[in-house]
Amino acid sequence: MGVDYYNILKVGRGATEEELKRSFKKLAMQWHPDKNPINKKEAEAKFKQVSEAYDVLSDPQKRQIYDSYGEEGLKSAELSGSRGGAGSYSFNSRNAEDIFAEFVGKSDGKSYGDGFGSQGSKKAQSVETKLACSLEELYKGSRRKMRISRIVPDEFGKPKTVDEILKIDIKPGWKKGTKITFPEKGNHGPGAMPADLIFVVDEKPHAVFKRDGNDLIVNQKISLLDALTGHSLNFTTLDGRTLIIPVVDIVKPGHQVVIPKEGMPVSKEPSKKGKLIIKFDVIFPSRLSAEQKSDLRRVLG
């Protein structure tokens, strides 16, 4: 028999006109190409199949020939007085849009009857949401799974809420303000294409390090004694290494130590890194005894 139009429309061979209409509406809404921008080629093929099946089974003359002789018999038969005019039967994508337009009562065949927009409609305004990242994540990179809820039309064109999991690969060196766009993953509202969903990187404060571009800054307090006599600083880096920095020079107020290649990765060249800058804050004693003052005069005087 070739193509099984009843199976395509998911109805029995004794389906009534009302059952055919109900099934066609559901399947046409589901597979209309304007509702399936990601897998549009598959949707176009399915939409054409569904429309062709409805075109045949909803027409008494075509249905009688099809039931008796199958698809081949239908397409070789001479038809008259049916939808499409006289001649042998053929079907194309334009026929599918015409049937859909006739069925939903829209002259352009591009709307879903409830106002949800087609691919040609104006795009809804993008939706932005913060993606809070630790400095460690922005240093090493990581993968996030984000659960989102959005409104989309169902197979009947009515709004429904769906949940999705989106994966975001955070790249080493990304900065605050970096945007990650998921096209058409926002709400799909009436009269517009689905909005883009944009995640904007936000940087969480860190207990030790402060970021300045590609550099990392540490504000390090040091006692007057250590500032004068020397000291070793121990830091745990953002990737978990232990960094030992000997301070052998006398540390004056405002003194800085710069360590190359221990800053943040450069996002476009992750093998390169900025600097680690240690800024010292010398802590002076709040008071000295007379004996301590005398000792200092003797040593420094």
Side-chain angles (χ1 to χ4, degrees):
M1 180 175 282
V3 175
D4 187 345
Y5 291 130
Y6 290 100
N7 184 54
I8 289 173
L9 271 189
K10 302 186 186 302
V11 295
R13 297 187 69 82
T16 65
E17 183 179 353
E18 191 59 36
E19 288 172 331
L20 290 172
K21 286 182 177 180
R22 187 163 55 246
S23 182
F24 171 70
K25 180 179 180 180
K26 178 179 178 180
L27 293 170
M29 291 291 187
Q30 178 182 349
W31 289 111
H32 197 287
D34 289 344
K35 288 185 66 180
N36 295 272
I38 296 176
N39 56 339
K40 193 165 186 175
K41 287 187 178 180
E42 179 190 359
E44 286 174 347
K46 293 276 190 182
F47 181 70
K48 183 174 179 290
Q49 282 183 338
V50 168
S51 301
E52 182 176 346
Y54 178 74
D55 182 56
V56 171
L57 299 182
S58 64
D59 185 294
Q61 182 186 9
K62 294 174 188 172
R63 183 172 181 176
Q64 183 180 8
I65 295 172
Y66 173 74
D67 286 345
S68 299
Y69 304 105
E71 180 196 8
E72 290 185 5
L74 173 67
K75 292 186 176 179
S76 62
E78 287 292 321
L79 303 174
S80 62
S82 63
R83 186 192 294 120
S88 59
Y89 180 71
S90 64
F91 195 86
N92 57 46
S93 298
R94 183 63 257 166
N95 297 141
E97 286 291 359
D98 288 343
I99 291 171
F100 185 72
E102 177 185 331
F103 191 87
V104 300
K106 300 293 183 181
S107 61
D108 61 0
K110 295 290 186 179
S111 297
Y112 299 118
D114 68 337
F116 274 87
S118 71
Q119 278 301 102
S121 302
K122 182 179 178 182
K123 195 177 185 71
Q125 186 174 358
S126 298
V127 178
E128 292 192 0
T129 186
K130 284 186 178 181
L131 179 66
C133 300
S134 68
L135 207 51
E136 285 84 356
E137 287 179 296
L138 297 174
Y139 184 91
K140 296 182 291 185
S142 69
R143 169 169 282 195
R144 286 282 195 88
K145 293 182 179 180
M146 308 295 292
R147 180 182 295 275
I148 65 166
S149 294
R150 63 194 187 101
I151 297 172
V152 299
D154 64 12
E155 63 269 24
F156 300 107
K158 302 300 181 183
K160 68 174 182 178
T161 301
V162 296
D163 293 331
E164 284 188 55
I165 301 294
L166 302 180
K167 294 179 181 178
I168 301 176
D169 289 317
I170 298 169
K171 304 299 183 184
W174 273 4
K175 297 176 181 178
K176 180 177 180 178
T178 299
K179 294 184 177 183
I180 308 99
T181 301
F182 288 87
E184 300 188 2
K185 286 296 183 181
N187 291 331
H188 188 176
M193 293 171 59
D196 292 342
L197 177 61
I198 302 174
F199 289 93
V200 183
V201 171
D202 194 23
E203 197 172 280
K204 295 179 183 177
H206 195 274
V208 177
F209 300 101
K210 182 179 179 181
R211 185 176 186 174
D212 182 13
N214 293 322
D215 296 334
L216 289 173
I217 297 173
V218 175
N219 291 308
Q220 179 66 43
K221 291 183 178 182
I222 187 172
S223 69
L224 179 59
L225 177 62
D226 289 338
L228 295 173
T229 61
H231 184 64
S232 289
L233 302 175
N234 291 346
F235 292 107
T236 300
T237 61
L238 293 172
D239 57 354
R241 295 174 292 116
T242 299
L243 199 61
I244 301 174
I245 302 171
V247 181
V248 294
D249 295 329
I250 293 175
V251 176
K252 301 175 183 178
H255 183 71
Q256 296 184 0
V257 172
V258 177
I259 314 296
K261 300 180 181 179
E262 287 293 349
M264 294 293 293
V266 179
S267 60
K268 294 183 179 179
E269 299 178 86
S271 60
K272 295 184 179 180
K273 292 180 180 177
K275 305 179 291 292
L276 171 61
I277 302 172
I278 304 170
K279 297 182 177 181
F280 289 95
D281 180 15
V282 180
I283 306 301
F284 286 79
S286 57
R287 63 189 186 85
L288 295 172
S289 66
E291 183 179 354
Q292 288 172 324
K293 291 178 181 178
S294 175
D295 289 340
L296 282 173
R297 289 192 184 96
R298 180 170 48 83
V299 171
L300 301 175

